[in-house]
Amino acid sequence: MSVSMKDLDPAFRGSGQKDGLEIWRIENFKPVPIPASSYGKFFMGDSYIILKTTALKNGSLRHDIHYWIGKDTSQDEAGTAAILTVELDAALGGRAVQYREVQGNETEKFLSYFRPCIMPRPGGVSSGFKHVDVNDQDHETRLYVCHGKHVVHVKEVPFARSSLNHDDIFILDTKSKIFQFNGSNSSIQERAKALEVVQYIKDTFHEGKCEIASVEDGRMMADAEAGEFWGFFGGFAPLPRRAPAEGNEKHEETAIKLLCFDQGKLEPVNYESLAHELLQTNKCYFLDCGAELYVWMGRTTSLQERKGASEAAEKLLSDSNRTKTHIIKVIEGFETVMFKSKFKEWPQTPDLKLSSEDGRGKVAALLKRQGLNVKGLMKAAPAKEEPQSYIDCTGNLQVWRVNDKDKALLSSSDQSKFYTGDCYIFQYTYAGDDKEECLIGTWFGKKSVEEDRVTAVSLASKMVESAKFQAVQARLYEGKEPVQFFVIFQSLQVFKGGLSSGYKKFIAENGIDDDSYSEEGLALFRIQGSGPENMQAIQVEPVASSLNSSYCYILHDGNTVFTWAGNLTTALDQELMERQLDVIKPNTQSRSQKEGSETDQIWSLLGGKSEYSSQKMVRELESDPHLFSCVLSKGNLKVKEIHHFTQDDLMTEDVFILDCHTSIFVWVGQQVDVKVRLQALDIGEKFVVLDFLMENLARETPIFTVTEGSEPPFFTRFFTWDSAKSLMHGNSYQRKLAIVKGGGAPALDKPRRRTPVYSGRSTTQDKSQRSRSMSFSPERVRVRGRSPAFTALAANFESSSNRNLSTPPVVKKLYPKSLTPDSSNTSSKSSAIAALAGSSDRPTQTPTPESIKGM
């Protein structure tokens, strides 16, 4: 199914080719583009088509098409918008998701385009109404009701006391002052979001010149602002206890129905289990979920069939008077996560993923054979670059090995030598953008035992708790480490076997031979990395099949040492091999081997020749980030996606998850209960298992827990970040009220820090400077300064000019007047430092990733 551009309405030509919004209004049954200055201004008598084009990190374009129907628009005009939406999708290649938006019941995704809200105005073009310009009239007092924690639904209600209730938030817009009335049953988060609407009204209808007042439900006339508010309603009187205002009702749970639309008729599909196989590619189907009606269109269906299905969906809802049900139209192969989640199982379709240049080419060829427009798929792939670490690489590092339910501090010469059968705890302090940062993490070897993992998580969690949650906590698995980990260690070696008593006991009880690394034995190492600040030597099986033409290797049998360089390696790869050789076999002569000209001795040590790969192992690419609000209730994790998120969406009372596929961040607000804070890692684990985006998240995906006020640069890079906001005290509503009344967030005097040194793509040194004498060796480790365990907490206790950011002060001030810590916290200095730096901690049995079952 395809549409020629010459057959497309001229108003649509050239659309959807760049990131951003495009909007058309239906006038005389034709789409007419409106200027960007009018985006977000909707008239009740009109219908609109909104195209959101998103440029993804993989180089492709994603399209979402919405058609918005005003409450006073005609049925014919609404039908025209629905049909034109199908045509626009076909012209864009038939991959867009299409949404029907009805005034007053818009999807959160749609509202997120027009933050903080939309406020439709009376009037219209096609309906014959006159557009009313509010600014051209004398100001009329209006009353609005607001709903929503993440995006705000705003509806004008009659200006009367009977419109008020205890459950909602109301905005009274008068000529000289805007009042926000907070119902006693409304949440703090809803109140904070409603204040954004207050600011919008002030800027839009008052040219930024009017006062703002907040009124709490239940305040008597003694309060001046409350008295003034109630004066508009003839004086104060108690409000009756009753249900929320109209428009806030929830859809009842209904049984999911599947209907087939074929040759203009709708027929129910009977099924025992809702399976993907029920959907045939040459037909259209309706999946009726009550609150949503999905229209699924097979790839081989014609444009006329899709138009017919769209009309039938509109008629189905109209006949049953279901005005609040959303219609969501999806194309086979490009279904939404929510649609796929309705089915018992949904097969993976890797041939339709747009994750690489090769993948885009395959999809484009597939769709082109079917007559579809492939313009969006053929967008050039972005240049491949080494991932940036966004972390200072000159900080202080300390490492412990977990052993016998305790942790043992490693010497500086051993702290970068890990064993695959062991677990480790590391602490790294470094210069952030405006303060010292601390990262405390656990690393689990692939063959480490469950008991050691439990111990590692428990001890690391105690260290974070002792640091008053100001440290970021990381849970990492061997083979899935993020770039931040490698940059912290710079030169890392991972050996086979293990040294912990738990590992030794496990292999003894199971009759497994101990293959732990021995300097005198036979060993083969693969060398990898991007430069001297990010290089690793990984011990692999000493057989020829372990080789790869894209890597360099070190092979030793006692003091017999060979280096092997694959034909696809670079001068930098060989430089890293030389550096790692100084660590693994210092002061030992080695014999260089080039692929294709090896001696018989090396093949003899590897057990003979065999086939091996030439493909470089590719790390998973970071995807476009998604933000979710999270609630953990009775062991079950409930998540909700926040579309087009900003820093302001991070409410201090809540927990959020940022998913960028290669890492998961659990952000915990300062106002979150301490019991929930302690469950942050567990929340991240449950999210990975839940795999909300159906992206095949590995159980070993790195998880970082981040506390508000201590966000590291590798987290804040996903936002346009304002550190002053995260340092404010009070709840979300108090903070937002201070900004709205003050006209903006005041800047804090931040202590000047040294400029962080981020590691980037390394550059090859001049040949004359490259030599093994420059390499890192066990006796020439980096000097990292004073004890990192001491440094981690020093800022809390050494200077009276430092504020404890994890404990809001008792005084009701939203910004700290001075940065003096709470004196009651200084008494915990000894125990806190002992918890971080000591080796005598005894762990409590908290669940680890592998022990979380049946979520």
Side-chain angles (χ1 to χ4, degrees), residues 12-113:
F12 288 149
R13 291 177 188 171
S15 60
Q17 301 307 307
K18 61 180 181 180
D19 191 276
L21 279 177
E22 296 171 81
I23 302 180
W24 298 264
R25 182 170 56 225
I26 307 303
E27 299 182 11
N28 297 320
F29 307 107
K30 293 288 185 180
V32 177
I34 66 173
S37 59
S38 295
Y39 286 4
K41 298 177 182 178
F42 296 94
F43 291 91
M44 300 178 186
D46 291 333
S47 294
Y48 298 79
I49 294 175
I50 298 91
L51 171 62
K52 178 67 172 75
T53 303
T54 305
L56 303 179
K57 283 191 174 183
N58 58 35
S60 64
L61 297 174
R62 185 185 70 217
H63 297 115
D64 293 287
I65 307 175
H66 305 254
Y67 57 105
W68 185 89
I69 302 170
K71 71 179 184 67
D72 297 323
T73 191
S74 68
Q75 188 171 347
D76 289 342
E77 194 175 71
T80 299
I83 296 302
L84 287 173
T85 296
V86 176
E87 292 184 1
L88 176 59
D89 167 57
L92 292 172
R95 303 181 302 275
V97 180
Q98 304 164 48
Y99 302 84
R100 174 181 184 258
E101 309 286 353
V102 178
Q103 180 183 339
N105 195 49
E106 297 87 356
T107 62
E108 291 199 358
K109 186 167 193 172
F110 176 81
L111 291 176
S112 71
Y113 303 152

Side-chain angles (χ1 to χ4, degrees), residues 652-759:
T652 188
E653 297 81 15
D654 295 329
V655 176
F656 293 85
I657 285 180
L658 185 72
D659 176 6
C660 61
H661 186 67
T662 54
S663 295
I664 300 296
F665 297 87
V666 183
W667 183 92
V668 183
Q670 287 286 6
Q671 300 285 326
V672 171
D673 186 87
V674 67
K675 292 181 180 179
V676 178
R677 289 192 192 190
L678 294 171
Q679 294 178 299
L681 198 59
D682 185 31
I683 290 173
E685 286 289 344
K686 290 180 181 293
F687 181 85
V688 169
V689 173
L690 181 64
D691 194 13
F692 181 83
L693 294 176
M694 301 177 75
E695 54 183 335
N696 284 328
L697 277 179
R699 288 293 301 271
E700 299 80 19
T701 300
I703 296 175
F704 296 90
T705 66
V706 179
T707 301
E708 180 184 15
S710 300
E711 295 89 351
F714 54 89
F715 172 82
T716 59
R717 69 187 178 94
F718 294 104
F719 303 81
T720 301
W721 196 260
D722 181 354
S723 298
K725 290 183 178 179
S726 64
L727 294 176
M728 292 181 73
H729 298 315
N731 61 40
S732 297
Y733 174 66
Q734 292 168 336
R735 298 180 186 188
K736 187 70 70 175
L737 187 62
I739 293 174
V740 169
K741 284 194 170 185
L748 295 182
D749 291 330
K750 302 174 184 177
R752 289 192 174 186
R753 300 286 182 183
R754 58 193 176 95
T755 303
V757 182
Y758 296 132
S759 70

Side-chain angles (χ1 to χ4, degrees), residues 28-301:
N28 297 320
F29 307 107
K30 293 288 185 180
V32 177
I34 66 173
S37 59
S38 295
Y39 286 4
K41 298 177 182 178
F42 296 94
F43 291 91
M44 300 178 186
D46 291 333
S47 294
Y48 298 79
I49 294 175
I50 298 91
L51 171 62
K52 178 67 172 75
T53 303
T54 305
L56 303 179
K57 283 191 174 183
N58 58 35
S60 64
L61 297 174
R62 185 185 70 217
H63 297 115
D64 293 287
I65 307 175
H66 305 254
Y67 57 105
W68 185 89
I69 302 170
K71 71 179 184 67
D72 297 323
T73 191
S74 68
Q75 188 171 347
D76 289 342
E77 194 175 71
T80 299
I83 296 302
L84 287 173
T85 296
V86 176
E87 292 184 1
L88 176 59
D89 167 57
L92 292 172
R95 303 181 302 275
V97 180
Q98 304 164 48
Y99 302 84
R100 174 181 184 258
E101 309 286 353
V102 178
Q103 180 183 339
N105 195 49
E106 297 87 356
T107 62
E108 291 199 358
K109 186 167 193 172
F110 176 81
L111 291 176
S112 71
Y113 303 152
F114 308 104
R115 292 174 182 257
C117 65
I118 62 171
M119 301 179 71
R121 306 175 187 180
V125 172
S126 300
S127 60
F129 295 155
K130 179 183 177 183
H131 286 165
V132 178
D133 191 336
V134 178
N135 293 323
D136 289 341
Q137 295 186 334
D138 292 335
H139 193 279
E140 180 181 348
T141 299
R142 298 176 183 270
L143 184 65
Y144 303 92
V145 62
C146 300
H147 307 293
K149 286 178 58 175
H150 306 299
V151 294
V152 187
H153 292 264
V154 181
K155 178 183 178 182
E156 185 175 356
V157 294
F159 174 33
R161 184 199 305 277
S162 58
S163 295
L164 303 175
N165 62 62
H166 297 290
D167 301 282
D168 297 316
I169 297 160
F170 295 84
I171 296 173
L172 180 65
D173 179 18
T174 72
K175 186 173 184 178
S176 60
K177 185 177 289 189
I178 304 173
F179 297 86
Q180 176 168 315
F181 174 82
N182 300 316
S184 56
N185 297 332
S186 62
S187 70
I188 291 173
Q189 298 93 322
E190 287 180 304
R191 298 178 186 186
K193 279 297 175 184
L195 279 171
E196 296 179 6
V197 179
V198 170
Q199 184 67 53
Y200 173 80
I201 293 174
K202 177 181 177 180
D203 295 338
T204 305
F205 304 120
H206 296 266
E207 299 181 345
K209 299 174 183 178
C210 72
E211 296 182 45
I212 292 174
S214 62
V215 178
E216 298 301 318
D217 185 8
R219 276 192 189 172
M220 300 297 129
M221 297 288 288
D223 182 277
E225 290 184 339
E228 187 178 358
F229 171 80
W230 287 112
F232 285 95
F233 296 92
F236 175 81
L239 299 177
R241 296 282 176 183
R242 58 184 175 83
E246 179 186 357
N248 199 29
E249 65 267 17
K250 296 181 180 179
H251 289 273
E252 296 180 0
E253 292 292 330
T254 58
I256 295 178
K257 300 175 184 177
L258 183 65
L259 303 100
C260 177
F261 179 78
D262 189 23
Q263 296 182 350
K265 295 182 180 179
L266 271 177
E267 297 291 341
V269 178
N270 298 319
Y271 61 87
E272 292 184 1
S273 175
L274 190 57
H276 170 266
E277 289 73 22
L278 293 170
L279 305 176
Q280 299 180 36
T281 190
N282 62 338
K283 296 180 180 179
C284 295
Y285 292 83
F286 291 6
L287 188 68
D288 193 346
C289 305
E292 300 90 20
L293 176 64
Y294 290 95
V295 180
W296 183 89
M297 303 174 182
R299 274 205 308 271
T300 61
T301 54

Side-chain angles (χ1 to χ4, degrees), residues 428-568:
Y428 183 67
T429 56
Y430 60 99
D433 290 338
D434 50 34
K435 65 183 187 310
E436 291 292 330
E437 307 280 1
C438 180
L439 173 63
I440 296 173
T442 53
W443 183 91
F444 300 151
K446 290 181 178 178
K447 296 186 177 180
S448 59
V449 297
E450 183 66 15
E451 182 180 11
D452 285 350
R453 295 182 181 187
V454 170
T455 300
V457 170
S458 176
L459 292 175
S461 297
K462 284 185 175 180
M463 293 167 67
V464 173
E465 189 175 359
S466 297
K468 302 186 183 302
F469 298 99
Q470 292 184 47
V472 174
Q473 185 173 359
R475 185 231 58 182
L476 312 177
Y477 280 86
E478 178 186 354
K480 284 284 188 177
E481 302 93 341
V483 65
Q484 290 83 12
F485 176 82
F486 290 136
V487 167
I488 287 171
F489 283 85
Q490 298 195 359
S491 174
L492 180 72
Q493 299 80 45
V494 179
F495 301 104
K496 296 177 66 175
L499 304 180
S500 70
S501 58
Y503 175 77
K504 299 291 187 184
K505 179 181 177 182
F506 175 80
I507 61 174
E509 290 178 347
N510 290 274
I512 301 173
D513 293 335
D514 188 353
D515 62 350
S516 296
Y517 172 72
S518 170
E519 292 184 4
E520 304 304 319
L522 178 65
L524 178 67
F525 294 88
R526 182 183 69 246
I527 311 304
Q528 61 189 39
S530 61
E533 82 295 341
N534 177 0
M535 57 180 177
Q536 304 86 45
I538 312 297
Q539 187 178 0
V540 295
E541 289 295 323
V543 293
S545 59
S546 295
L547 298 176
N548 186 310
S549 301
S550 296
Y551 293 91
C552 293
Y553 291 79
I554 296 172
L555 173 69
H556 75 68
D557 185 14
N559 287 326
T560 301
V561 182
F562 292 92
T563 60
W564 186 89
N567 286 333
L568 301 179

